[in-house]
Amino acid sequence: MTTKFTIEELDRIIEMAWEDRTPFDAITFQFGIKEQEIIQIMRREMKPSSFRLWRARVQGRSTKHSKKRPFEEGRFKCTRQKQITHNKISKR
C-alpha cells in the first residue's frame, strides 16, 4: 500500500468499513483504495480481537458488496438524514 492517509482520513475509512450499509465500493470511490487495502488498514489499525470480529461480520455480507445488494441504492435512507456527498456533509 503506497497511499498515505491523514489521521482524519484513516478514521473515516475505518468508520465506513464498520458501517453495515456502506459498501466497499463507496470507500474505493472516495479514497481510491481496493477492498484488500481496506482489509490491510483495518488489520493494521485495530486490535487483533476487534479485527477478527469485524472480519467475521463483513465476510459474505451482501450489504458490503454493491453487486450483491438485494435492494436499490438509497432505499434505507431516512428522510431526516443529512445528505452526504464525497465525504462532506451538506446542510439541508
Side-chain angles (χ1 to χ4, degrees):
M1 184 169 64
T2 59
T3 309
K4 298 287 184 186
F5 294 106
T6 65
I7 293 171
E8 292 81 13
E9 289 172 329
L10 278 175
D11 285 346
R12 184 63 183 140
I13 291 169
I14 292 168
E15 181 183 5
M16 291 175 78
W18 266 108
E19 293 170 348
D20 289 337
R21 299 257 179 236
T22 303
F24 288 120
D25 293 344
I27 301 170
T28 299
F29 177 74
Q30 288 186 10
F31 297 98
I33 56 176
K34 297 179 181 172
E35 181 178 346
Q36 190 57 43
E37 293 171 305
I38 296 166
I39 293 168
Q40 289 172 353
I41 289 171
M42 297 296 277
R43 180 178 279 126
R44 186 182 68 230
E45 299 293 327
M46 299 171 70
K47 295 187 300 186
S49 59
S50 297
F51 174 76
R52 283 191 300 273
L53 285 172
W54 173 78
R55 209 47 201 134
R57 207 169 104 204
V58 300
Q59 210 159 25
R61 182 175 290 257
S62 62
T63 55
K64 291 304 278 185
H65 299 85
S66 296
K67 292 178 184 170
K68 293 183 181 179
R69 286 176 161 224
F71 55 88
E72 296 174 19
E73 285 189 49
R75 181 173 165 196
F76 290 100
K77 183 178 172 185
C78 175
T79 57
R80 294 180 306 273
Q81 180 180 353
K82 292 184 179 181
Q83 297 293 322
I84 300 175
T85 308
H86 295 11
N87 213 20
K88 304 250 190 259
I89 300 176
S90 355
K91 296 180 181 178
R92 283 187 185 182

